């Protein structure tokens, strides 16, 4: 048994003990309400197709009641993720607001136009938070980013986040749930090949994927209603033209690969 597997087992053990003790002393679920938020700022006549313009648009939600410390923690992480969509670098001021960052983007755009007055540009920074799953114990969201700040094409990027509603902590889904990791990775590769129409014998690199590397799981994984969602972003394993890749593994298809105690503790009884 490797040291990493032992450490993973210890981490899961402590997580399981905490969750069981929490549920034994309180409610089996938490009623998280969503308060929708919208922030839109523009510079220039964006209704015109020929004029220079920049638009910043953030559509998201926060959990209420805000008196719940776990919900506060989730909201903080959501806001930090949104901030990262507006800034290439971590802001020097940790207390800077979304509105301030959005206004800075508008200001930077205005400065560029002043330096290059003959340039026509239409810039966009748009982020949308979508609820994927909420069973009162865990919450999964997807943050979709779309931006065009010049160049050959726009950029798109999505982030999956699954939260424990009793602690507010973000869960590392695959190490926590998957018991047979090598078996799951093998199944994931089979699904990826099927999705892309790649034969089992064909080399993935020759087919245009994984940048001369072996198959690997994506950076994004989340719990959804019918199973585990894997999401490969554009550029993660292939050129821009290939776009993103979504794989869903239903609970029944991976029941032999998961930790059933963890699933039951998380309220997943499929």
């Amino acid at each position: 048994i490797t040291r990493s597997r032992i450490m993973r087992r210890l981490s899961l053990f402590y997580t399981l003990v905490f969750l069981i003790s929490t549920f034994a002393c309180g409610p089996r679920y938490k009623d998280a309400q969503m308060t929708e938020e919208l922030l839109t700022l523009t510079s220039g006549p964006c209704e015109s197709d020929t004029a220079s313009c920049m638009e910043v648009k953030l559509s998201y939600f926060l959990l209420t009641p805000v008196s719940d410390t776990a919900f506060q923690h989730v909201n903080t992480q959501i806001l930090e993720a949104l901030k990262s969509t507006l800034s290439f670098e971590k802001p020097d001021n940790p207390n800077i607001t979304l509105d301030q960052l959005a206004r800075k983007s508008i200001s930077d755009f205005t400065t560029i136009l002043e330096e290059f007055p003959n340039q026509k540009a239409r810039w966009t920074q748009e982020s949308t938070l979508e609820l994927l799953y909420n069973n009162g114990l865990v919450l999964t969201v997807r943050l979709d980013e779309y931006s065009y700040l010049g160049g050959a094409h726009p950029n798109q990027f999505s982030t999956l986040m699954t939260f424990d509603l009793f602690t507010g902590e973000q869960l590392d889904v695959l190490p926590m749930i998957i018991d047979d990791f090598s078996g799951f990775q093998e199944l994931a590769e089979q699904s990826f090949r099927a999705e892309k129409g790649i034969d089992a014998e064909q080399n993935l690199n020759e087919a245009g994927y994984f940048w001369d590397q072996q198959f690997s799981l994506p950076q994004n994984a989340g719990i959804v209603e019918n199973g585990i969602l894997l999401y490969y972003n554009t550029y993660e394993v292939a050129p821009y033209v290939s776009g993103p890749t979504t794989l869903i593994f239903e609970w029944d298809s991976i029941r032999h690969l998961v930790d059933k105690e963890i699933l039951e503790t998380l309220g997943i009884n499929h």
Side-chain angles (χ1 to χ4, degrees), residues 148 150-154:
Y148 180 75
H153 53 69

Side-chain angles (χ1 to χ4, degrees), residues 192 210 215-218 230-234 236-237 243-245 247:
F192 185 92
F210 291 94
F215 174 85
S216 60
L217 296 171
L230 300 185
Y231 187 87
Y232 291 90
N233 272 293
T234 302
E236 188 171 351
V237 296
T245 301
L247 303 175

Side-chain angles (χ1 to χ4, degrees), residues 10 23 32 34 39 43 53 83 85 129 134 137 162 168 226 230 238 243 245 247 249 259:
L10 285 174
F23 300 148
M34 319 294 169
L39 173 62
S43 173
C53 164
K83 288 179 184 179
T85 70
L129 188 71
N134 175 21
L137 300 179
T162 295
N226 56 336
L230 300 185
T245 301
L247 303 175
F249 299 87
D259 188 317

Side-chain angles (χ1 to χ4, degrees), residues 9 52 75 128 148 182 198:
R9 281 294 181 187
S52 295
N75 290 343
T128 303
Y148 180 75
S182 61
I198 305 172

Side-chain angles (χ1 to χ4, degrees), residues 77-115:
Q77 293 171 85
I78 288 175
L79 291 173
E80 289 302 313
L82 285 163
K83 288 179 184 179
S84 70
T85 70
L86 295 175
S87 178
F88 294 110
E89 299 179 353
K90 189 173 182 179
D92 295 331
N93 178 9
N95 297 318
I96 193 169
T97 66
L98 285 176
D99 182 77
Q100 290 171 327
L101 279 173
R103 292 184 184 281
K104 184 179 184 304
S105 293
I106 296 292
S107 176
D108 292 344
F109 175 77
T110 301
T111 299
I112 290 175
L113 289 185
E114 290 174 350
E115 295 176 357

Side-chain angles (χ1 to χ4, degrees), residues 9-219:
R9 281 294 181 187
L10 285 174
S11 175
L12 294 180
F13 171 76
Y14 290 127
T15 300
L16 186 60
V17 169
F18 173 80
L19 291 173
I20 291 175
S21 63
T22 300
F23 300 148
C25 300
R28 286 288 301 177
Y29 65 92
K30 297 180 77 170
D31 185 17
Q33 302 297 313
M34 319 294 169
T35 300
E36 295 185 0
E37 306 282 346
L38 178 64
L39 173 62
T40 302
L41 292 176
T42 60
S43 173
C46 292
E47 65 278 3
S48 170
D49 292 332
T50 59
S52 295
C53 164
M54 179 170 189
E55 180 179 40
V56 177
K57 184 177 181 180
L58 305 178
S59 177
Y60 61 101
F61 59 83
L62 297 175
L63 303 188
T64 59
V66 294
S67 57
D68 188 299
T69 55
F71 293 175
Q72 290 178 21
H73 191 29
V74 172
N75 290 343
T76 296
Q77 293 171 85
I78 288 175
L79 291 173
E80 289 302 313
L82 285 163
K83 288 179 184 179
S84 70
T85 70
L86 295 175
S87 178
F88 294 110
E89 299 179 353
K90 189 173 182 179
D92 295 331
N93 178 9
N95 297 318
I96 193 169
T97 66
L98 285 176
D99 182 77
Q100 290 171 327
L101 279 173
R103 292 184 184 281
K104 184 179 184 304
S105 293
I106 296 292
S107 176
D108 292 344
F109 175 77
T110 301
T111 299
I112 290 175
L113 289 185
E114 290 174 350
E115 295 176 357
F116 304 95
N118 295 324
Q119 179 176 339
K120 299 299 181 182
R122 293 181 63 82
W123 286 7
T124 300
Q125 285 184 295
E126 183 174 346
S127 297
T128 303
L129 188 71
E130 181 179 351
L131 175 65
L132 298 184
Y133 181 63
N134 175 21
N135 71 346
L137 300 179
V138 295
L139 175 87
T140 299
V141 300
R142 186 182 69 220
L143 178 60
D144 296 323
E145 307 171 40
Y146 173 90
S147 66
Y148 180 75
L149 303 175
H153 53 69
N155 291 306
Q156 294 172 281
F157 191 85
S158 294
T159 303
L160 296 177
M161 295 178 283
T162 295
F163 298 101
D164 179 339
L165 287 177
F166 277 81
T167 66
E169 293 294 332
Q170 187 173 341
L171 301 177
D172 194 358
V173 171
L174 294 184
M176 182 176 186
I177 290 179
I178 301 301
D179 193 44
D180 181 355
F181 211 81
S182 61
F184 181 78
Q185 181 158 314
E186 182 179 345
L187 178 63
E189 180 174 350
Q190 293 172 2
S191 297
F192 185 92
R193 287 176 176 273
E195 175 71 19
K196 301 300 183 182
I198 305 172
D199 293 337
E201 298 78 16
Q202 186 176 1
N203 184 285
L204 285 172
N205 305 150
E206 293 177 356
Y209 296 96
F210 291 94
W211 312 109
D212 296 327
Q213 303 293 323
Q214 294 182 338
F215 174 85
S216 60
L217 296 171
Q219 298 177 6

